[in-house]
Amino acid sequence: MILDSKIPEGYSLAEVWDNHKFNVKLVNPANKRKYDIIVVGTGLAGASAAATFGELGYNVKAFCFQDSPRRAHSIAAQGGINAAKNYQNDGDSVFRLFYDTIKGGDYRSREANVYRLAQVSVNIIDQCVAQGVPFARDYGGLLANRSFGGAQVSRTFYARGQTGQQLLLGAYSALNRQIAYGKVKMYPRTEMLDLVVVDGKARGIVVRNLITGKVESHSAHAVVLATGGYGNVFFLSTNAMGSNATAGWRAHKKGALFANPCFTQIHPTCIPVSGGYQSKLTLMSESLRNDGRVWVPKTVEIAQRLRKGEITVNDIPEGDRDYYLERKYPAFGNLVPRDVASRNAKLVCDEGRGVGSSGLAVYLDFADAIKRDGQPAIAAKYGNLFEMYQKITDENPYERPMRIYPAVHYTMGGLWVDYNLMTTVPGLYAAGECNFSDHGANRLGASALMQGLADGYFVLPYTIGDYLAKMPYDKVPTDHPAFVEAEQSVKDMTDRLLSIKGKRTVDDFHKELGQIMWDYCGMARNAEGLAFAKQAIRKLREEFWKDVKVTGVNEELNQTLEKAHRVADFLELGELMVTDALHREESCGGHFREEYQTPENEALRDDENFAYVAAWEFTGVNGEPKLHKEELKFENVKLTQRSYK
C-alpha cells in the first residue's frame, strides 16, 4: 500500500490550501440534500462538522454515547485555544504558529497540514466570537491573550479555565440550530461498534442503543469519526471515564491504518495520584504555568524531611528551592513544551526530590505572582481552577503551592488521514484528536481545541464535497449483506462477553492493562520493558477472554457491557502502541526511549532512519501488524535538535 498524502504540489506552502480549496470538486446546493453523512462524536470536531454539513444542506446523522452532545469531553478543556491573530503585537504570525507547532511536535508532522491549521486558526476566533463565546477581554474590551508552553508569544484566547466548555456551547448551539431545521438527526446514548464497508467504501455504521441494547445499522454516503483519543488505555488519565477508542479501533480493523500509536502526551500539571481507589485524574491547566513557578527542594534530605512532616513547604527558604525549569531552560522557563516539563518532573522525582506523601509530585507556586499582582488579579484569571484544586485536595493554593505531577492527557497518534482528512478507507474521514495529522510527537498546549474546530468548521466542509461530488446518489439499504454481517459480528461479540461469566471485573483487567502501559510505555520506555509489556498484554488479553465477569443482559442499560467492549479494544490497541514504540528506535517528543537521549537527557531523534509516519495495518488479533511508511518532507523548516534553553 502506497500512502498518498494528496498534498497539492507546485505551490508555495502559503498557497497550498487556498489553491486546493479552489481545485476541489463542488456539490451543487440542490444536490447536497441527496447525500447523507454520518458523524460519530459530538465534541468540538464532531459538533462543528455536523453543524456545518447541515448548514451546507447535507442530511446528517450525528451519534454520541453521552446523553447530550454538550457532555462530550471537549467540555473539560481548560486553558485556551491558539490563533495567530497577533493582537499583542509581539511578533506572532501564521508562519510562527506553524513553526512553533512543527518544532513542538519534534519534527514528526506534515508541513502542509500544520500550516493549514495555523492559517485557519484566525478564522476560528472570529467564528466563535460571532457565536457569542465569552472570551476573556482586557480593560478596554479587546480580546485578551496569554502564553502557553512552547511559544514565546501570547496567542492563546481563553475563557478563564473553562475554554473548552464555552467553545463547545458555541458549537452545540450551531448544532442545535440544524437539529431544529431537520438537517441533523441526533442519536444520543448510542455507541458505534462497527464500520460497514461496501465495495471498498465506508457506507455506514453499526450502533448499539445504550438504553435498550438494540443493535441497528445506519447507512450514508460518507462517515466522519470525531471520537477523540485513546488515552484511557492507561486507565488513569485526565480523560472522562467514558472516553474510549472503540469507534476508531473498529474502523482500523476494517482497513483504516493507525498512525504513530505510541505518540501519547503526558501532561505535566495534573493533581497527583492519591491511591488505588481512583478511576481518573484531574488536569490543572497549563495556563497556570504563566504565573506559577515549578520547583522542588534542592536536596534529597530536605525533600525527605518534608515528606515525613518534619517541616512544611513554607519552612523551606528561597535558597533551598530548585526552580529547575527556569534553571535549565532560561529562554522559556516554566513554559517549555509539555513533554519537556513532564520528563523533568519525573527526573527530579526519580532523584528523590519529589514532594507529597508519595514523593511523586512537584510544586507549582503562585506566591510571587500573588505578591506582584495581588490575589484578586490571580483569582480573576484562575479562580475556578484554584477552587477545583482546593475541593479535591483540601489545600488552599493561595496560601501554599499546588502539588502537581504528569499524567496521561492526549494522544497525538490516531487514524492515518491524507490532506483531505480521509483515512485509507475511501469515504471514511477522521477529525480532531481521532486522527494523527497535526501534532507530530508532541502537541503544544491550546492546540487541541484549535485543531478540532479547524477540522470541523473549515477543512472537512470543503474536502468531503470533493469525494461526494464523484459519488452516485444511490443509498445502500441496511439489509445489504455487508450490514447484516457487521450487525451479526457485533451481536456475536456481545454474546461472547456475556457468556464468559468469569471471576475478574472489567475494571480489574483495565487497571492491570493501564499499569503495564504506564510502567513500560509511559513517560520513559526501553526495549527490554517494551518487549516484556507486549507479552504481558497478550497474556492479559487471553485471560480477559477466559475470566472476565460481565453481569446483566444486553437488552438493558448495562454499563459493565459497555466497558467490556471498550476494554477488549484497549487490550488490542495497547499491544499496537507497544509494537510502535519498540520499532521506533529514537526519542522524539512524547516518545522517550531511554537508549536514545542526549547527554543533557533530552530526546535524541534519528532523522535519517525515522523521519516518517508509521502507519500500521491490522492483520488479525494475534498477528503482527504490517508497517507502512509515509516519508516526511521538510522544505520550509530546518530539521534541528530542539532547544528551549
Side-chain angles (χ1 to χ4, degrees):
M1 183 185 297
I2 298 174
L3 294 178
D4 180 7
S5 64
K6 293 187 172 62
I7 297 170
E9 297 180 349
Y11 304 104
S12 69
L13 189 63
E15 297 173 328
V16 171
W17 177 234
D18 287 338
N19 280 279
H20 188 60
K21 285 191 294 182
F22 178 76
N23 290 321
V24 295
K25 293 185 180 299
L26 301 176
V27 179
N28 183 304
N31 289 335
K32 286 189 172 84
R33 65 177 67 99
K34 300 174 183 177
Y35 289 109
D36 300 333
I37 302 174
I38 284 172
V39 179
V40 185
T42 55
L44 287 181
S48 59
T52 309
F53 293 152
E55 186 83 38
L56 287 170
Y58 295 110
N59 305 309
V60 183
K61 290 182 177 181
F63 298 81
C64 69
F65 63 77
Q66 297 92 347
D67 58 355
S68 165
R70 63 171 293 187
R71 292 190 184 275
H73 191 58
S74 298
I75 204 170
Q78 297 171 355
I81 177 171
N82 288 329
K85 286 285 198 181
N86 194 32
Y87 283 168
Q88 304 303 313
N89 199 29
D90 57 359
D92 200 10
S93 65
V94 167
F95 191 87
R96 188 175 294 280
L97 175 53
F98 155 74
Y99 175 76
D100 287 347
T101 305
I102 288 279
K103 178 184 175 183
D106 218 352
Y107 304 93
R108 289 296 176 261
S109 51
R110 283 194 203 124
E111 283 191 339
N113 286 63
V114 175
Y115 194 88
R116 176 176 65 188
L117 178 65
Q119 276 180 297
V120 302
S121 70
V122 298
N123 305 119
I124 295 170
I125 303 305
D126 297 339
Q127 168 88 357
C128 295
V129 169
Q131 289 174 334
V133 173
F135 286 123
R137 295 177 180 266
D138 63 21
Y139 182 77
L142 300 176
L143 291 172
N145 293 110
R146 57 188 176 198
S147 300
F148 259 62
Q152 291 180 305
V153 296
S154 295
R155 62 163 68 101
T156 305
F157 296 79
Y158 62 98
R160 292 188 80 195
Q162 306 166 349
T163 314
Q165 181 188 56
Q166 299 304 321
L167 291 172
L168 186 59
L169 288 172
Y172 177 61
S173 65
L175 178 63
N176 269 345
R177 181 167 175 263
Q178 296 308 314
I179 293 172
Y181 286 157
K183 294 306 296 179
V184 176
K185 184 169 176 56
M186 191 67 228
Y187 293 85
R189 301 298 288 146
T190 306
E191 184 163 27
M192 172 183 161
L193 292 180
D194 210 351
L195 175 74
V196 180
V197 179
V198 179
D199 297 329
K201 297 181 174 67
R203 293 307 302 262
I205 61 173
V206 175
V207 300
R208 178 176 179 269
N209 184 309
L210 299 183
I211 303 296
T212 66
K214 183 181 180 182
V215 174
E216 57 186 6
S217 296
H218 294 268
S219 172
H221 294 89
V223 177
V224 176
L225 298 186
T227 51
Y230 48 92
N232 272 355
V233 71
F234 290 86
F235 187 73
L236 285 179
S237 80
T238 64
N239 292 181
M241 287 184 65
S243 298
N244 64 85
T246 288
W249 187 250
R250 304 279 169 102
H252 171 59
K253 295 172 81 168
K254 284 294 181 75
L257 300 193
F258 209 110
N260 300 335
C262 77
F263 288 171
T264 53
Q265 180 164 87
I266 316 293
H267 198 295
T269 53
C270 303
I271 296 178
V273 176
S274 58
Y277 53 84
Q278 281 183 273
S279 55
K280 78 176 300 294
L281 298 174
T282 303
L283 173 71
M284 287 285 103
S285 170
E286 181 167 318
S287 62
L288 294 169
R289 288 196 276 145
N290 273 276
D291 291 299
R293 301 179 69 191
V294 180
W295 66 274
V296 291
K298 273 190 176 178
T299 67
V300 174
E301 291 72 26
I302 296 174
Q304 287 175 339
R305 291 184 63 201
L306 187 66
R307 292 196 293 270
K308 290 176 182 177
E310 295 175 4
I311 57 174
T312 68
V313 60
N314 293 326
D315 293 330
I316 301 174
E318 190 70 16
D320 287 335
R321 301 181 178 191
D322 180 14
Y323 297 92
Y324 57 89
L325 291 178
E326 297 174 26
R327 170 173 57 81
K328 294 177 71 172
Y329 308 99
F332 283 74
N334 294 297
L335 287 173
V336 292
R338 291 173 176 178
D339 60 314
V340 177
S342 293
R343 273 199 300 277
N344 277 275
K346 181 180 186 298
L347 196 64
V348 295
C349 289
D350 288 348
E351 292 171 354
R353 295 193 288 146
V355 301
S357 58
S358 66
L360 295 176
V362 299
Y363 285 129
L364 184 62
D365 197 337
F366 294 87
D368 287 351
I370 292 170
K371 184 177 180 180
R372 180 186 67 236
D373 300 330
Q375 184 169 320
I378 298 301
K381 286 196 277 188
Y382 312 117
N384 67 303
L385 297 171
F386 278 46
E387 290 166 13
M388 183 166 63
Y389 180 86
Q390 186 165 6
K391 283 183 180 179
I392 292 172
T393 65
D394 197 28
E395 296 174 8
N396 186 344
Y398 293 107
E399 298 175 357
R400 57 186 297 178
M402 288 183 178
R403 290 175 297 106
I404 57 168
Y405 193 69
V408 174
H409 177 61
Y410 187 89
T411 51
M412 286 74 66
L415 295 180
W416 184 92
V417 292
D418 61 19
Y419 191 63
N420 295 320
L421 304 186
M422 189 189 288
T423 70
T424 49
V425 177
L428 176 67
Y429 293 79
E433 190 179 355
C434 185
N435 72 34
F436 88 100
S437 67
D438 293 350
H439 305 296
N442 175 65
R443 176 176 68 76
L444 292 184
S447 288
L449 305 184
M450 175 174 63
Q451 186 207 350
L453 292 179
D455 288 354
Y457 282 135
F458 298 110
V459 179
L460 274 174
Y462 287 97
T463 61
I464 203 166
D466 185 56
Y467 173 76
L468 293 175
K470 306 165 192 171
M471 284 278 289
Y473 306 133
D474 302 347
K475 302 178 191 293
V476 178
T478 54
D479 59 0
H480 185 283
F483 280 95
V484 174
E485 182 183 343
E487 272 194 37
Q488 191 58 49
S489 174
V490 168
K491 291 174 181 176
D492 289 346
M493 183 173 180
T494 298
D495 291 342
R496 185 182 175 194
L497 287 166
L498 289 166
S499 68
I500 296 170
K501 301 188 185 303
K503 297 178 181 177
R504 293 183 62 182
T505 65
V506 177
D507 275 352
D508 193 31
F509 281 104
H510 195 180
K511 284 182 181 179
E512 185 172 344
L513 171 66
Q515 196 64 55
I516 294 169
M517 295 300 297
W518 179 252
D519 289 345
Y520 302 106
C521 197
M523 272 193 285
R525 303 135 181 213
N526 59 60
E528 182 182 359
L530 290 166
F532 171 81
K534 186 166 183 172
Q535 295 307 313
I537 293 170
R538 285 195 168 190
K539 183 179 177 182
L540 185 65
R541 188 169 64 238
E542 289 176 15
E543 191 176 344
F544 174 87
W545 285 107
K546 292 177 182 176
D547 198 30
V548 70
K549 182 184 181 71
V550 181
T551 55
V553 296
N554 177 57
E555 294 77 17
E556 64 179 3
L557 174 64
N558 189 338
Q559 292 186 312
T560 304
L561 179 59
E562 293 170 32
K563 287 182 184 178
H565 271 285
R566 297 165 187 170
V567 173
D569 293 329
F570 282 143
L571 285 163
E572 295 172 8
L573 172 57
E575 184 181 343
L576 181 63
M577 293 168 66
V578 168
T579 299
D580 187 42
L582 195 55
H583 115 276
R584 191 171 280 277
E585 296 179 339
E586 65 162 354
S587 291
C588 55
H591 169 64
F592 190 75
R593 284 282 297 267
E594 293 173 333
E595 308 97 315
Y596 308 101
Q597 54 182 303
T598 68
E600 295 82 26
N601 305 115
E602 304 291 350
L604 183 62
R605 294 196 322 271
D606 181 353
D607 295 329
E608 185 175 341
N609 296 306
F610 291 98
Y612 61 76
V613 177
W616 298 90
E617 179 182 350
F618 182 75
T619 61
V621 173
N622 292 310
E624 284 298 318
K626 184 177 180 181
L627 174 63
H628 301 270
K629 299 178 182 179
E630 180 201 339
E631 300 295 336
L632 293 169
K633 300 174 184 176
F634 295 94
E635 299 170 346
N636 298 275
V637 296
K638 184 180 178 182
L639 282 168
T640 58
Q641 177 68 35
R642 280 193 314 172
S643 174
Y644 292 96
K645 296 185 177 182

